[in-house]
Amino acid sequence: MAKILCSFIFLCACFVLSTGARVNHRILSSSTLDHDDATPTGSNFTFVCDPARYASLGLDVSNFAFCDTSLSYEVRAMDLVNQMTLNEKVLQLGNKAYGVPRLGLAEYQWWSEALHGVSNVGPGTFFDDLIPGSTSFPTVITTAAAFNESLWKVIGQAVSTEARAMYNLGRAGLTYWSPNINVVRDPRWGRAIETPGEDPYLVGRYAVNYVRGLQDVEGSENYTDPNSRPLKVSSCCKHYAAYDVDNWKGVERYTFDARVSEQDMVETFLRPFQMCVKDGDVSSVMCSYNRVNGIPTCADPKLLNQTIRGDWDLHGYIVSDCDSLQVMVENHKWLGDTKEDAVAQALKAGLDLDCGAYYTENVEAAVRQGKVREADIDKSLNFLYVVLMRLGFFDGIPQYNSFGKNDVCSKENIELATEAAREGAVLLKNENDSLPLSIEKVKTLAVIGPHSNATSAMIGNYAGIPCQIITPIEGLSKYAKVDYQMGCSDIACKDESFIFPAMESAKKADATIILAGIDLSIEAESLDRDDLLLPGYQTQLINQVASVSNGPVVLVLMSAGGVDISFAKSNGDIKSILWVGYPGEEGGNAIADVIFGKYNPGGRLPLTWHEADYVDMLPMTSMPLRPIDSLGYPGRTYKFFNGSTVYPFGHGLSYTQFTYKLTSTIRSLDIKLDKYQYCHDLGYKNDSFKPSCPAIRVDDSQYNDQFEFEVEVLNAGAKDGSEVVIVYAKPPEGIDATYIKQVIGFKRVFVPAGGSEKVKFEFNASKSLQVVDFNAYSVLPSGGHTIMLGDDIISFSVQIRFC
């Protein structure tokens, strides 16, 4: 079922992509199956413990302690679970929870998605005449490029408002299995579109802010008891863990065993999830299809019970990726397990909810065979019902009762989608300040290429039905007269016969805009890339059109992963290159606003754009981040790769010029060790100086080891603009096999032309300057740590001394 479902989702996405139509591709969704209370004008359902609802069922709500609001959620959930039979309990363990009619417990559909807007992928949500669509924000890789934490949180708030409104109207659930926070380890990964990029800290900060935007109820962010903290909607960070191979040269996620060192697990693969749980207080984590070091993630007690629930103290539930238990039995064939073996091991490992039917069909038999305790079921159900109580499913949350149709696709949300697309645009090249184009001088445009009339391609995957779609042609037509030529019939661009008409158009126009790139037919879930090149004749189209263009040529690229466009970077006929990711329903307006200078781009690449031959140097299935010299494999991500690139992580230009000036710094930090703290050994390269106390374990550091600095950002140009200040740390010289540099902070700041803004950064040295050694200890090295702003615009040393 997992394979069938994912293939169906992919085919639906491709169908929408190819037709350009706004097709409601419901995936296993039906208003009669999972939305029995939906009516043409709203919903008959209020909340479980509504006295009137119980009366209509012939029941007295006062007879049920789980509806007594004077009791804690934990006590109420326990009371509810204790009244169920074994069979009734088991029927609540799948994404479709069947309810218990004799107790007045309603059915509930757990599976809804909200990756970059309320989606209709998953049976918990649907669109119809009452709610025909929702705001489709840019894909995650695009908004990540904004490097703007407040933007990510505001988008989460907008999405959760639309979700809550749709719930009130019977069109959506309250539990959303988003965001995807897997680090993009390899540039070929098809799901880079869904993620915030390749840096664990960046990915983690995105997770924290988007989750807070989705979940936080205003005024209740810091409850004394997190398990009673109300939730606007429930968010889920996925896919845990070390999941970043979908389908590469026949290697599928359903059978892949990710062989990962503990060092890489701590440093890269687990860090965003730890931040999501501990800093974002997410209420759910989803385990992935793959195995990690031989064990399916959804049956690994170390990953689930020990780490998520134990070390990180999750306040919520753990759910499987859809049909992962079936995959464990039929694809991984792990331990030769029967169905009953598999569900028993997963329950005992800490998996609370099964997206699928394996739990509901097999757990009762597993209990009766003595393979798992009924008490293990009780524990999971308690976690699940506490979350539903926090969401108001049992009692309602009055402040959201007024949310309705007018809160979906509001003018404010559509403008926010436009702003997000603008902020995520990255100016890669701009020779001779060719951009922005002048409205006074440019009256005619040749708009050429397979993405010129993009519709569904701009909204990516895990999308719903957008409120509207503004194509690039429509956006550009607001500024100049457009002559549109396809250049290619589609993204594959296998027919060069359309190139000549495009060249003729470019000869006559005041400026030429070429919109090229890739789409879900090249990179998607269940579809990893084979190469980093533009498909078919796209390169030929771009070069030939640029060679004859009458005016400046602007190349606009849509993609998630990087593309080797070295040819365009070095082509003097192509003055400007703009990457826009997949910019959402307002992409056409955002692209035009940037090109004509209504908005000054300030985005930065959240991924390294590698040269094409990078993928020939190592297989996608090689998991280590560090170089493997014995095999000739290079390192992965900017943290461990020191070769040449097309464009590096963090690259991005502006229409203005910014300069930095340090106004205050702390250059040294003395950390006094007590008698229970010990120096920790650390590997150094041969002939390198090794301090007498090389490091201390971070867990042992009990002191305030803060350092801070302030930088003044000056806009020396003539245009207002936003600058992203990225702060990197480089470890002391000589430490063996550690990162080259790593992001420890960033802020996006708006600076008017000729003005300046001061930006203050504060860091905890133990967290920000730590190194994970080969034993997987997180340690703080002594010595000089180099703090770099941007691409080494300014750098200074912070000396760490132990005494």
Side-chain angles (χ1 to χ4, degrees):
M1 178 178 174
K3 292 181 180 179
I4 294 172
L5 174 59
C6 292
S7 298
F8 184 40
I9 292 174
F10 174 68
L11 289 172
C12 287
C14 291
F15 174 71
V16 175
L17 179 72
S18 61
T19 60
R22 300 175 188 177
V23 178
N24 183 0
H25 52 287
R26 296 180 189 173
I27 308 303
L28 302 182
S29 179
S30 166
S31 60
T32 57
L33 177 64
D34 290 308
H35 299 270
D36 292 337
D37 294 298
T39 70
T41 58
S43 173
N44 290 325
F45 181 75
T46 52
F47 50 90
V48 169
C49 293
D50 182 354
R53 177 179 171 275
Y54 266 78
S56 72
L57 296 173
L59 300 170
D60 183 351
V61 71
S62 64
N63 292 331
F64 299 93
F66 61 82
C67 284
D68 183 350
T69 57
S70 69
L71 302 175
S72 70
Y73 289 154
E74 287 87 352
V75 170
R76 293 172 62 187
M78 187 182 304
D79 176 77
L80 171 59
V81 174
N82 286 344
Q83 294 189 59
M84 295 183 191
T85 67
L86 173 60
N87 179 258
E88 288 170 338
K89 292 175 183 178
V90 169
L91 290 175
Q92 318 311 317
L93 292 175
N95 60 280
K96 178 178 173 60
Y98 288 85
V100 184
R102 69 180 182 85
L103 300 178
L105 180 64
E107 295 182 358
Y108 183 73
Q109 176 54 252
W110 286 88
W111 182 10
S112 293
E113 303 276 357
L115 183 65
H116 54 104
V118 179
S119 169
N120 57 353
V121 174
T125 304
F126 71 97
F127 297 105
D128 61 4
D129 291 341
L130 180 63
I131 302 292
S134 62
T135 308
S136 187
F137 292 91
T139 58
V140 176
I141 195 69
T142 312
T143 48
F147 280 78
N148 186 343
E149 297 194 53
S150 62
L151 174 70
W152 303 333
K153 185 173 182 179
V154 170
I155 290 175
Q157 291 169 334
V159 172
S160 58
T161 292
E162 294 197 354
R164 197 84 201 194
M166 290 178 65
Y167 171 75
N168 288 349
L169 297 170
R171 268 69 182 165
L174 292 170
T175 47
Y176 290 84
W177 294 345
S178 305
N180 179 341
I181 61 166
N182 296 110
V183 171
V184 182
R185 174 187 56 87
D186 190 288
R188 291 164 284 195
W189 190 33
R191 300 188 78 170
I193 183 175
E194 303 173 34
T195 75
E198 70 180 34
D199 179 77
Y201 179 80
L202 171 65
V203 174
R205 290 309 303 168
Y206 177 90
V208 169
N209 283 278
Y210 189 65
V211 166
R212 287 286 181 183
L214 287 175
Q215 292 195 159
D216 284 0
V217 174
E218 187 174 355
S220 65
E221 295 87 350
N222 298 304
Y223 255 49
T224 304
D225 176 17
N227 285 310
S228 65
R229 185 172 75 91
L231 299 169
K232 189 177 179 185
V233 301
S234 170
S235 177
C236 173
C237 282
K238 63 184 184 184
H239 311 80
Y240 179 85
Y243 164 60
D244 55 15
V245 173
D246 265 67
N247 188 349
W248 179 76
K249 297 187 182 298
V251 178
E252 291 190 289
R253 56 185 174 168
Y254 308 117
T255 56
F256 183 59
D257 183 12
R259 310 302 295 191
V260 183
S261 71
E262 288 299 317
Q263 181 182 35
D264 283 340
M265 284 294 284
V266 171
E267 186 175 49
T268 298
F269 296 110
L270 297 188
R271 190 180 185 195
F273 289 93
Q274 181 180 17
M275 294 170 69
C276 182
V277 174
K278 297 187 75 170
D279 301 332
D281 195 25
V282 75
S283 50
S284 178
V285 174
M286 176 184 286
C287 53
S288 53
Y289 290 116
N290 57 289
R291 284 173 285 161
V292 175
N293 299 327
I295 305 175
T297 64
C298 293
D300 189 334
K302 178 184 177 185
L303 285 176
L304 305 188
N305 272 334
Q306 180 180 323
T307 304
I308 298 178
R309 199 166 291 287
D311 297 343
W312 300 344
D313 190 24
L314 172 72
H315 307 122
Y317 67 97
I318 301 172
V319 61
S320 72
D321 204 341
C322 294
D323 300 310
S324 286
L325 298 181
Q326 180 179 345
V327 166
M328 189 164 70
V329 173
E330 297 180 6
N331 298 80
H332 290 298
K333 303 184 187 302
W334 190 56
L335 301 180
D337 275 358
T338 64
K339 296 176 181 180
E340 294 81 9
D341 292 329
V343 298
Q345 292 191 50
L347 262 174
K348 289 187 285 188
L351 181 68
D352 303 307
L353 184 69
D354 171 30
C355 178
Y358 242 53
Y359 265 5
T360 56
E361 293 174 357
N362 300 296
V363 165
E364 184 171 358
V367 172
R368 299 197 184 282
Q369 292 173 20
K371 294 182 176 181
V372 68
R373 300 177 182 180
E374 188 173 352
D376 292 317
I377 302 172
D378 297 347
K379 185 185 298 184
S380 289
L381 288 176
N382 283 334
F383 291 136
L384 292 166
Y385 286 121
V386 166
V387 168
L388 286 180
M389 289 175 183
R390 294 169 63 193
L391 285 162
F393 182 67
F394 281 79
D395 309 317
I397 299 183
Q399 70 192 81
Y400 298 134
N401 289 348
S402 63
F403 286 5
K405 182 177 175 62
N406 291 337
D407 294 292
V408 183
C409 289
S410 65
K411 290 181 179 179
E412 293 80 9
N413 287 356
I414 292 173
E415 174 54 33
L416 179 61
T418 312
E419 176 62 20
R422 294 187 193 114
E423 289 196 25
V426 181
L427 184 63
L428 299 175
K429 175 184 177 181
N430 197 27
E431 287 186 1
N432 303 323
D433 294 329
S434 293
L435 286 182
L437 298 181
S438 168
I439 299 174
E440 289 74 25
K441 295 179 181 178
V442 176
K443 301 297 183 182
T444 60
L445 286 173
V447 179
I448 294 164
H451 275 313
S452 298
N453 204 28
T455 53
S456 297
M458 295 195 298
I459 67 172
N461 63 349
Y462 283 85
I465 300 175
C467 312
Q468 59 186 29
I469 296 181
I470 305 299
T471 69
I473 290 175
E474 290 173 319
L476 292 165
S477 294
K478 297 175 182 179
Y479 289 93
K481 183 179 179 181
V482 166
D483 179 30
Y484 164 52
Q485 296 294 330
M486 290 189 297
C488 300
S489 58
D490 56 22
I491 288 297
C493 199
K494 295 181 178 179
D495 186 352
E496 60 182 323
S497 63
F498 296 99
I499 296 178
F500 183 75
M503 294 170 65
E504 292 300 302
S505 176
K507 290 177 183 178
K508 305 174 206 173
D510 295 333
T512 298
I513 315 295
I514 305 173
L515 290 110
I518 54 181
D519 62 14
L520 293 180
S521 68
I522 305 292
E523 56 176 352
E525 183 175 9
S526 298
L527 183 63
D528 296 320
R529 296 163 67 187
D530 290 324
D531 59 55
L532 306 181
L533 301 172
L534 290 172
Y537 289 104
Q538 283 198 42
T539 297
Q540 180 179 327
L541 166 69
I542 294 166
N543 281 331
Q544 288 190 248
V545 167
S547 69
V548 299
S549 179
N550 173 59
V553 177
V554 180
L555 174 60
V556 179
L557 290 168
M558 291 191 196
S559 74
V563 182
D564 187 346
I565 51 164
S566 300
F567 73 93
K569 179 181 178 182
S570 61
N571 188 339
D573 293 328
I574 301 171
K575 300 299 183 185
S576 305
I577 304 175
L578 184 69
W579 176 79
V580 295
Y582 297 110
E585 66 175 51
E586 289 293 303
N589 281 332
I591 290 167
D593 288 347
V594 171
I595 287 175
F596 279 91
K598 180 179 178 181
Y599 187 86
N600 185 352
R604 302 295 183 87
L605 289 179
L607 294 169
T608 301
W609 281 33
H610 287 280
E611 295 172 349
D613 64 356
Y614 179 84
V615 301
D616 300 324
M617 299 178 188
L618 76 173
M620 190 174 176
T621 50
S622 174
M623 296 298 292
L625 276 293
R626 288 160 176 77
I628 306 177
D629 295 333
S630 62
L631 297 175
Y633 293 174
R636 295 182 177 278
T637 79
Y638 78 93
K639 291 178 65 175
F640 301 102
F641 178 72
N642 60 1
S644 61
T645 63
V646 181
Y647 290 109
F649 173 92
H651 176 72
L653 306 176
S654 172
Y655 295 156
T656 189
Q657 298 80 43
F658 295 100
T659 61
Y660 295 175
K661 177 184 176 183
L662 280 176
T663 57
S664 66
T665 61
I666 292 177
R667 302 293 183 114
S668 64
L669 200 59
D670 293 327
I671 298 176
K672 186 175 181 180
L673 306 183
D674 64 30
K675 63 180 180 179
Y676 299 111
Q677 290 179 298
Y678 304 95
C679 294
H680 183 87
D681 196 16
L682 197 58
Y684 271 73
K685 298 173 185 176
N686 292 335
D687 302 324
S688 295
F689 171 76
K690 184 175 182 178
S692 58
C693 185
I696 58 171
R697 286 175 52 182
V698 167
D699 293 342
D700 293 338
S701 180
Q702 305 295 324
Y703 297 99
N704 182 12
D705 53 0
Q706 299 290 120
F707 72 96
E708 62 185 44
F709 67 88
E710 186 178 73
V711 59
E712 185 175 12
V713 181
L714 299 94
N715 184 341
K719 295 180 175 64
D720 298 346
S722 294
E723 172 71 348
V724 173
V725 183
I726 304 179
V727 183
Y728 298 93
K730 294 176 66 175
E733 290 290 332
I735 298 177
D736 191 31
T738 188
Y739 54 85
I740 300 167
K741 64 178 181 179
Q742 68 176 3
V743 175
I744 61 172
F746 55 86
K747 288 184 181 179
R748 186 177 179 123
V749 56
F750 175 80
V751 187
S756 66
E757 290 290 336
K758 291 183 178 179
V759 184
K760 187 174 183 179
F761 290 94
E762 298 178 348
F763 297 102
N764 178 286
S766 296
K767 292 182 179 179
S768 299
L769 303 182
Q770 69 175 250
V771 165
V772 179
D773 71 7
F774 73 96
N775 289 321
Y777 283 121
S778 295
V779 302
L780 175 62
S782 61
H785 295 254
T786 302
I787 307 301
M788 279 174 32
L789 276 61
D791 189 17
D792 209 7
I793 299 170
I794 289 180
S795 64
F796 60 93
S797 177
V798 173
Q799 289 288 331
I800 302 294
R801 294 187 291 261
F802 305 129
C803 53

